[in-house]
Amino acid sequence: MVPVDVFKERVARAAEGDAWVIDGNYAGRGARDLVWPRADTVIWLDPPLSVIFARLFARALRRSRTREELWPGTGNRETLGHQFFSGDSLFLWALKTHRRRRRELPQILARPEHAHLTVHRFRRSEEADAWLDRQPATAGR
């Protein structure tokens, strides 16, 4: 983790161009205010908690079994103990934040300063896939 000011500077630089995609999980570190004014579209992937848990479980098992390094060169690897019995568990994080995000994000998106955004909320992978298939092909995609 870099200091918040360094993080915000990097995000601002990444969003300077004419076209970019930024993962929304950065919003928690204050990037939303940097990115959304320049964005035209928000894609909200909003699967049910059961789907999130199933995917986390499969990923945790795979990464623990293969000893996959999370970020190359860091030596950082998931363990089952960390995923299931740690205060930093992604399962615990998902459980704590899922309902709050579903409640707060529509309120945030309804603010006047976000009226320029086109919002696509997908609860199922098939919905997101179908939308993506309808988008024109662009260079680099």
Side-chain angles (χ1 to χ4, degrees), residues 27-28 32 36 44 46 96-111 114 121:
R32 181 185 300 140
W36 282 18
W44 180 6
D46 184 27
K96 287 180 177 179
T97 62
H98 188 259
R99 183 174 287 139
R100 178 178 45 86
R101 282 180 287 138
R102 277 193 162 175
R103 183 182 64 247
E104 291 176 357
L105 197 50
Q107 295 170 351
I108 293 167
L109 288 164
R111 293 179 187 160
H114 301 135
R121 182 178 182 180

Side-chain angles (χ1 to χ4, degrees), residues 1-21:
M1 297 280 282
V2 298
V4 173
D5 59 331
V6 173
F7 170 78
K8 286 183 175 186
E9 178 186 326
R10 290 178 182 174
V11 170
R13 264 189 279 132
E16 284 176 352
D18 292 333
W20 40 265
V21 174

Side-chain angles (χ1 to χ4, degrees), residues 79-93 96:
T79 65
L80 289 179
H82 185 262
Q83 281 303 318
F84 294 104
F85 305 110
S86 164
D88 292 332
S89 167
L90 287 177
F91 292 94
L92 184 59
W93 177 83
K96 287 180 177 179

